[in-house]
Structures are given as structure tokens and as C-alpha cells.
């Protein structure tokens, strides 16, 4: 397995082009199952997660054609199998989102339950309740969901008891081909939902209100092919914004939108770095003055993204004072804490709250990535640590960050990948 070595101390100066959003791309790929015509996706990130999903879709009957640049064409003239095996769903949780489209297109499906994940229990009960409300009969046996809709899917009023990005997307993906009107209330408002709705509407769906807490979908009989550019990856943009604030220097993030990471940018400014919001991105600047500790509470969009919590914690390890970071989305999302402490950070966790007491220096060490966002927090800490930080289990990082060492390296970071033996793997 590969490792990433970072020698800390270099400032970052330059430009980083942000890729298309992983969390949107994988739902858009699932949407390609809904039509027998080609779906052309541009601004596609090239990641382990998109490859895993491509493998699953190929088994289901999709021709996945990765063109040069960032374009992928997905074409499913016919569903040849409605079976998503454990091995493939386990490798990437979002594979579970093929369930609804398979039922919508063929009337039945057998899809493995995704199982646990390192950042908490992550159940799929809300997904299944939504599919049942839309007319699917669901049985669970031996870790598999057996679903049937012998009389087809029909629109329904679905009120989510709490906000779930995955369940809202899954319900939307399924309801577009259901008969009649579906109303999703207490829906997630994350920008990736709006992106999915835009793409589905280009395919001929009738989705209104995506990006608000009430989404209305008028079912259509058939969807067609379309061309769609994947929305910018706000988590990748936020990650490099934090990296620039940590290392110091001046970094311009392009092909992205400041408004999508406003909650983070405000915190970076409060901590003492400078933020310049541009039309096509954002500039982060820090001249070397020590940052101040600030508190953070994660929340649903437009709140502070849980996917940026680990990175921000890394930033706070060297700030002046004590920062309190509260995680409200996933109960177990502090796996990076012991690893950051190995680098000399002073963090204690109690329940859903981490207290970060800023230290004067971090010192490079061997650390291990535990999940996707946690692993990049270790890279960020390594940028400011003295000496060499060696991050193991880099496959986590490869799931969600495209050419990370290249992008950071181009700005002057001393980061290199050390190729290792053994297969790539993914979780979550
Ligand atoms: C998505 C993102 C993930 C991000 C998260 C929150 C993808 C691939 N992943 O994850 O990166 O961190 O949104 O912004 O897009 N829950 C249930 N039952 C369900 C579904 C969810 O109890 O059926 C709970 C979860 O355990 C969690 C909370 O709801 O505590 C939020 O989860 P959700 O918004 O669904 O996150 P994901 O879609 O899994």
C-alpha cells in the first residue's frame, strides 16, 4: 500500500484547480442507470471511488467510457443484472444508491446492505423507508435488500425525520420515474442535491426545489441522455483553503465557488488568515502571524461541513488558545485525534466534542489514515510539522482527492508518494 511523506515547513504559493465533486459524481453516475441513452458527464474527478462505482455499473450493464480530460460517458442500453454484491457495495457505501434506479428501471433489485463504516453506524433505514413509500416491497435477508415493485413505483409524500443527504438523493433518484407527484420534506439542502436535480432535469425529469428543504418531483415515463458538468468539489476546495492557512503563503483556488464554503471561510478569517472571494474561486493568504483558536460546530449545509471538521482541527492544533470542535453529524468522527496527537497535538475528546489546545510546534511522525477526510487532516498537519510525517493507508485519501501530492507539490509543498505493495482498498 502506498504512503505519503511530507516534510513540513514549506509555504504554499500558487494556484490549485479544484476538481468536480466526488459526492456529486457518484450520484450522477448512478443516475445514468435511469435511461437507455448515453449520459455525458464533464468535470469528472478521477478517483478510486468513481472507479469502484464504474466497476459495479459495468456489471449491471453500463458501458463506462472514460475519455481524455475529465469526461466520462455512461451508457446503459439495457440492465443486464439487478444484483449489486456485497464485495462491491462494501468497498464504497454510495454504491447502495443503485438500488432505487434499478427498481425504477426494472421493477426489482438485489443489493447488499453497505454495512458499518469507520465514522459511525451509518444506517440506511431512511433510504429504505423512502423506497417503500414509493411503492417498493423490501425484504432483508442475509445482508441483502430484496426489492420489488411489481405494480411500478408511485409518487408519495415523504417527510424525513432528520436531514440525510444520502436518503434525499436516493429518494430523488427513484421518484423521477415514479407515477405521479412526490414531495420530499425536511430534505437535505446540500449543493450536490441541486447538482443531481439539474442533471436529472436535463435528462427530462421534473424536479423542483432542490437546494431547499422541500423538493417536489413530478414523475415522468422515460428519461433521455444529457450532458452535464459535475459541480465543483467544495470539500476539496475547503481542504486546500485550510492547507494554505496552515502552511502560510498565498494560494489561489480556481474552478470553484467561495459561496459553497462560506461557513469555513468565515472561520479561517476569524482565525486570522485572509480570504479574498473571487468570481471563479478564492484566494487564501497568511503572512506568518500565528492563528487564533476558534470554535466550530459541524452542521448540515450551509453550516460547517462535517467533511471539513478533521482538516480544521489540524489547523487548530497550532493556533493560539483552545478551540472547541463539536461534531453533530457522525458520532464517531474523531478517529484522526490520536493520530494528530502522535504529531504532538494536544487534543482531548469527550462525547461529540474535541478540545484542541494549540501547541507551539508539531513534530513529524508515522501516522495512519483512518478514513477519507481524517487522512487529509494528517497531510495538513504534516505541512507545518517539523521533519517528516509519513501517512500510511493512503488508499483512504485516493478515494476522494485527485492527484493530491501533485496539486500541493505545484505550490511548493514537499510531498511525495512512496509506492508500496498490496491492493488498494476502500471503506465507507
Ligand atoms: C453524505 C456524504 C458525506 C457527508 C455526509 C454529511 C456522500 C457519498 N457522502 O453522507 O461525505 O459527510 O453526507 O454531509 O455523499 N442516517 C440514518 N439513517 C439513514 C441515513 C443516514 O440514521 O438512512 C444518519 C447517519 O448515520 C448520519 C446522519 O444521518 O448520522 C447524516 O447522514 P447522511 O446525510 O445520510 O450522510 P451520507 O449521505 O451517508
Amino acid at each position: 500500500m502506498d504512503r505519503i511523506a511530507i516534510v513540513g515547513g514549506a509555504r504554499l504559493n500558487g494556484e490549485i484547480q479544484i476538481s468536480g465533486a466526488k459526492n456529486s459524481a457518484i450520484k450522477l453516475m448512478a443516475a445514468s442507470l435511469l435511461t437507455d441513452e448515453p449520459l455525458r458527464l464533464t468535470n469528472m474527478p478521477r478517483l478510486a471511488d468513481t472507479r469502484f462505482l464504474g466497476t459495479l455499473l459495468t456489471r449491471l450493464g453500463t458501458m463506462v467510457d472514460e475519455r481524455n480530460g475529465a469526461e466520462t460517458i455512461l451508457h446503459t442500453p439495457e440492465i443486464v443484472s439487478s444484483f449489486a454484491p456485497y464485495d462491491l457495495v462494501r468497498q464504497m457505501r454510495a454504491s447502495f444508491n443503485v438500488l432505487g434506479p434499478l427498481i425504477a428501471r426494472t421493477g426489482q433489485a438485489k443489493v447488499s446492505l453497505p454495512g458499518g463504516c469507520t465514522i459511525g453506524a451509518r444506517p440506511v433505514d431512511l433510504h429504505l423507508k423512502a423506497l417503500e413509500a414509493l411503492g417498493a416491497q423490501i425484504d432483508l435477508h442475509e445482508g441483502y435488500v430484496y426489492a420489488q415493485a411489481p405494480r411500478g413505483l408511485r409518487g408519495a409524500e415523504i417527510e424525513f425525520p432528520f436531514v440525510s443527504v444520502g436518503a434525499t438523493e436516493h429518494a430523488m433518484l427513484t421518484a423521477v420515474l415514479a407515477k405521479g407527484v412526490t414531495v420530499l420534506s425536511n430534505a437535505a439542502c446540500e449543493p450536490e442535491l441541486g447538482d443531481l436535480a439539474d442533471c436529472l432535469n436535463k435528462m427530462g425529469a421534473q424536479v423542483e426545489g432542490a437546494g431547499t428543504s422541500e423538493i417536489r418531483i413530478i414523475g415522468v415515463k422515460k428519461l433521455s441522455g444529457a450532458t452535464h458538468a459535475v459541480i465543483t468539489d467544495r470539500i476539496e476546495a475547503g481542504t486546500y483553503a485550510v492547507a494554505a492557512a496552515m502552511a502560510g503563503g498565498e494560494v489561489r483556488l480556481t474552478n470553484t465557488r467561495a459561496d459553497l464554503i462560506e461557513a469555513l471561510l468565515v472561520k479561517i478569517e476569524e482565525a486570522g488568515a485572509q480570504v479574498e472571494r473571487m468570481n471563479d474561486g478564492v484566494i487564501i493568504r497568511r503572512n506568518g502571524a500565528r492563528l487564533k483558536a476558534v470554535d466550530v460546530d459541524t452542521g448540515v449545509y450551509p453550516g460547517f461541513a462535517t467533511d471539513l471538521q478533521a482538516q480544521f482541527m489540524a489547523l487548530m492544533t497550532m493556533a493560539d488558545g483552545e478551540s472547541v470542535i463539536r461534531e453533530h453529524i457522525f458520532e464517531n468522527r474523531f478517529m484522526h485525534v490520536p493520530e494528530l496527537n502522535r504529531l504532538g497535538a494536544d487534543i482531548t475528546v469527550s462525547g461529540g466534542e474535541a478540545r484542541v489546545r494549540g501547541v507551539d510546534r508539531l513534530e513529524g511522525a508515522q501516522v495512519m489514515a483512518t478514513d477519507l477526510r481524517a487522512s487529509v487532516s494528517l497531510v495538513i498537519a504534516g505541512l507545518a510539522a517539523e521533519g517528516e510525517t509519513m501517512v500510511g493507508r493512503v488508499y483512504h485519501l485516493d478515494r476522494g482527492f485527485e492527484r493530491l501530492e501533485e496539486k500541493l507539490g505545484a505550490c511548493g509543498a514537499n510531498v511525495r508518494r512512496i509506492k508500496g505493495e498490496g491492493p488498494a482498498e476502500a471503506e465507507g
Side-chain angles (χ1 to χ4, degrees):
M1 278 182 284
D2 293 1
R3 290 172 300 161
I4 294 226
I6 309 119
V7 179
R11 290 176 148 243
L12 298 184
N13 282 294
E15 187 176 307
I16 296 179
Q17 193 181 351
I18 302 303
S19 302
K22 168 185 93 78
N23 284 353
S24 197
I26 49 190
K27 316 300 163 55
L28 296 168
M29 289 175 76
S32 72
L33 290 172
L34 293 165
T35 174
D36 59 8
E37 294 178 20
L39 176 65
R40 181 170 159 259
L41 297 175
T42 60
N43 202 33
M44 272 291 284
R46 301 283 182 229
L47 299 165
D49 269 13
T50 52
R51 272 197 305 279
F52 280 124
L53 186 55
T55 308
L56 171 59
L57 291 177
T58 305
R59 289 222 199 157
L60 304 179
T62 310
M63 292 177 281
V64 182
D65 180 4
E66 287 195 357
R67 301 288 177 93
N68 280 339
E71 181 180 325
T72 300
I73 297 173
L74 301 118
H75 186 194
T76 321
E78 205 185 335
I79 304 280
V80 298
S81 162
S82 288
F83 173 51
Y86 174 66
D87 259 4
L88 290 174
V89 181
R90 178 190 69 86
Q91 289 192 356
M92 205 220 359
R93 194 186 148 78
S95 305
F96 188 65
N97 275 23
V98 301
L99 175 61
L102 285 175
I103 306 171
R105 182 105 177 252
T106 70
Q108 49 102 28
K110 177 183 172 187
V111 173
S112 171
L113 286 163
C117 164
T118 49
I119 59 171
R122 298 187 87 176
V124 286
D125 53 328
L126 301 187
H127 296 235
L128 297 179
K129 282 202 185 104
L131 297 184
E132 279 179 332
L134 291 167
Q137 290 166 11
I138 305 263
D139 288 301
L140 302 180
H141 293 298
E142 296 167 342
Y144 278 89
V145 179
Y146 291 77
Q148 285 201 347
R151 283 183 299 281
L153 296 170
R154 45 178 163 43
E157 299 211 348
I158 300 170
E159 181 167 358
F160 294 107
F162 52 89
V163 172
S164 160
V165 178
T168 306
E169 284 166 335
H170 207 162
M172 190 194 285
L173 275 168
T174 312
V176 284
L177 285 178
K179 195 169 174 204
V181 178
T182 296
V183 178
L184 307 176
S185 2
N186 201 21
C189 301
E190 266 64 6
E192 293 74 26
L193 257 306
D195 197 40
L196 178 59
D198 284 350
C199 178
L200 289 168
N201 286 343
K202 286 178 195 163
M203 294 165 72
Q206 293 189 36
V207 182
E208 290 164 17
T212 73
S213 59
E214 189 167 297
I215 301 174
R216 196 178 136 86
I217 300 160
I218 303 169
V220 295
K221 283 217 171 87
K222 201 173 178 318
L223 293 177
S224 60
T227 294
H228 180 77
V230 181
I231 192 172
T232 178
D233 195 321
R234 65 194 165 97
I235 305 304
E236 190 196 17
T239 298
Y240 289 125
V242 172
M246 184 74 173
E250 178 172 325
V251 176
R252 184 191 185 105
L253 306 173
T254 60
N255 193 35
T256 192
R257 284 168 44 189
D259 62 307
L260 298 181
I261 48 168
E262 189 52 31
L264 169 74
L265 295 178
V266 167
K267 291 293 172 184
I268 288 180
E269 281 174 320
E270 258 180 60
Q274 284 163 21
V275 174
E276 203 176 318
R277 294 158 179 82
M278 324 280 290
N279 281 340
D280 70 331
V282 57
I283 297 176
I284 308 291
R285 239 181 248 115
R286 184 162 79 84
N287 56 18
R290 189 172 183 191
L291 294 178
K292 293 190 289 285
V294 291
D295 297 344
V296 159
D297 281 83
T298 65
V300 297
Y301 188 81
F304 192 101
T306 170
D307 282 353
L308 290 169
Q309 179 257 107
Q311 296 89 316
F312 199 79
M313 191 181 295
L315 183 66
M316 290 294 100
T317 58
M318 288 184 69
D320 186 17
E322 181 178 287
S323 154
V324 179
I325 298 183
R326 294 183 204 89
E327 172 58 53
H328 298 283
I329 309 291
F330 293 112
E331 74 265 32
N332 203 7
R333 207 172 204 179
F334 286 128
M335 311 280 279
H336 42 287
V337 167
E339 301 302 307
L340 287 171
N341 283 345
R342 278 177 65 77
L343 298 172
D346 180 1
I347 309 168
T348 46
V349 174
S350 165
E353 186 176 290
R355 281 181 183 271
V356 188
R357 283 163 292 272
V359 294
D360 292 335
R361 58 188 285 269
L362 297 177
E363 200 180 0
Q366 282 195 30
V367 286
M368 220 159 57
T370 49
D371 73 45
L372 168 55
R373 311 303 178 184
S375 53
V376 83
S377 77
L378 300 172
V379 174
I380 290 172
L383 290 173
E386 287 170 22
E388 186 176 78
T389 299
M390 183 73 79
V391 183
R393 296 200 182 162
V394 165
Y395 56 84
H396 286 297
L397 205 78
D398 293 334
R399 289 186 40 214
F401 291 92
E402 189 177 37
R403 297 179 288 108
L404 171 112
E405 63 276 22
E406 211 181 288
K407 290 188 181 189
L408 281 174
C411 290
N414 190 340
V415 183
R416 66 184 205 285
R417 177 179 292 258
I418 300 162
K419 287 275 173 201
E421 301 291 306
E425 207 185 305
E427 288 166 29

